[in-house]
Amino acid sequence: MTSSPLDRLLRPQTIAVFGGREARRVIEQCDRMSFAGEIWPVHPKLDEVLGRPCYRSLSDLPAAPDAAFVGVNRTLTVEIVRGLSRAGAGGAVCYASGFSEATAELADGAELQQALVEAAGDMPILGPNCYGLINGLDGALLWPDQHGMQRTERGVAILTQSSNIAINLTMQTRGLPIAYMVTAGNQAQTSLADIACALMEDPRVTAVGLHVEGFGDLASLERLAAIARKSRKPVVVLKVGKSEQARHAAVSHTASLAGSDAVADAVLTRLGLGRVQSLPALLETLKLLHVAGPLVSHSISSMSCSGGEASLMADAAAGRNVEFAALQPQQLPRLRRVLGEMVTLSNPLDYHTFVWGDVARQSEAFSAMFEGGYALNLVVLDFPRGDRCDAAEWSMTADAVVAAASATGARAGILATLPENMPEPVADRLMANGIVAFSGIDETIIAVEVAAGIGRAWDLPPPLPLLDVPCMDGEIETLTEADAKTELAACGLPVPWGLQAFSPREAAEQAERLGFPVVLKALGVAHKTEAGAVALNLRNSEAVANAAAAMPPNAGYLVEKMIDPPVAELIVGAIRDPIFGLSLTLGAGGIFVELLEDSTILPLPATKTEIHAAISRLKLAKLIYGYRGRPKGDLEAAVDAVSAAADYVVRNAACLEELDINPLMVLPEGRGVAAVDALIRRRR
């Protein structure tokens, strides 16, 4: 195991506890989990605590502790942390609240937190305002409350800012072995990403789950992803705060598509970090990753002895990147022989009850299904209540799944549609035998999608470093459409041929120079269509002059050659996220931006391969590929144009606030593309 600055704190041999009631509880919890190291209570008035001699002060301790639980008031916490740091302690948990989380109530909260960080120096601290950690591998706890964990030899690590959520997660009865539960509170010095990186160095940790309220450091997130990939230990993130930012008042359409949560989703996907939306999904995904690791594909199988369950399974996969692939021809004869003529052979498969209670026949049926090359094989099985029913035949079915998985070497899971129908002893036994004990259909499908997504990301080359350029200070200016197009054209983005004018008469003259038909636009007007600041398909000088005179007050006119009808219209944009910086948004453009809600986000920089894949994910891609016999669009030209826009964003990252190209017209194959409208906002 490599050495980390957090090693002594996370895996202590000696623990010092400061305080009264909470410190006593820490000792109680260590005793309950049979901690083999030494515990040193520190209290100015007590002689002993739970049979251990009590030291009057930090200076009386026999040595610098590996870890300390500081359960005293907030001001005394700073002093004790300073003393621990000077003594050479390995780290401390700061339990007290009243720091930066309480600035609305306490004027000195932020100042005191800064003092705490300075007092800690190079010594790691967790918190303040947190419960600390439970090390279920070594029985070492800096935790002042009851919990539901038990000792384990290997398992997952779960990290959260919320101590209450941490307690709740320890109470799970789903069979998930938890190696570490760590809370970080205010993350004043040590972030969740820092802790996760240190925990992945423990060979007994199989996967990591993060419950986060926000990302503060893009570089640490990239480091976490790189370590996860290198160590082959997948990370799953439950990020709260999905609600869209109030950006609809912004100048561009891009802003309404690129909410902070959507950007976070794109960044996590690019880095190969899984994303879930609920605590049950987090636990089920961690169970799958603990047993199987990332999946090699999205293809799974399902067997149940009920057509209703088979339908539920199929429906749950709708809209998810999970596939119930068809049965292979070589599977059919064996399945038919075992299950009989009345069973419809399909995936998901309702195997009826003809083999129920017969372990040998069930094992053969499951084996035949498991040999289809699926990344994961599921058997739907809800166990009866143990206090009222006999579960013997259900246990026989579980034995058959274990036998089939052993015989075929395939990954398998037993899925209870209701969590209460997967008893914890059964789940523990299945997990110990390499069978994932799933609870809940939707959560299971999500777990498969996430595990396969991580597997796909790890199969690709490591991603390019994310664009992380701070924005310069300065007043924001909005370029005219003409100026914006001039800048974009210089970067290789095709734009229509156009000329500027400053009066209706001059606009008509410029139109004569270009040749009809033309498009006329008023410069300096946002959302031109809604404002009546654009006129299309003008075919003579009089029409141009009249249209110009009817437009709202403006900074001049742009006259452009009319573009032929496109195959499809795209929006290409970029907007600055306060955490993740600039990213690219692609979607259905023109009037369909918000109507179709068809968009995807690309973190920058982006390769042409990534851009091609992003366009292919859009619903609009069907038009570009030639929908129902219609002409195909010039896909390669579209990819080149989006790449040129991405390059412009990267080159101007220090000053760019917003880019909006809408629409980028995709013309028939071989005829290119044209950016017919563009907006740029940047710092001066």
Side-chain angles (χ1 to χ4, degrees), residues 326-348:
L327 298 174
Q328 299 295 313
Q330 65 269 21
Q331 295 176 273
L332 302 179
R334 188 177 177 190
L335 284 169
R336 177 64 67 207
R337 184 176 68 253
V338 178
L339 299 177
E341 296 298 324
M342 297 182 63
V343 173
T344 300
L345 300 183
S346 62
N347 183 26

Side-chain angles (χ1 to χ4, degrees), residues 30 40 55 75 83 87 112 121 174-175 204 274 397 463 472:
C30 283
W40 303 328
Y55 299 89
T75 52
L112 197 63
R174 297 168 178 250
R204 301 167 294 178
T397 302
M472 62 189 296

Side-chain angles (χ1 to χ4, degrees), residues 662-684:
N662 181 35
L664 176 69
M665 289 187 169
V666 183
L667 302 175
E669 197 169 26
R671 296 177 59 185
V673 298
V676 300
D677 197 1
L679 177 143
I680 292 174
R681 296 174 67 238
R682 66 186 181 191
R683 300 278 176 179
R684 292 185 184 274

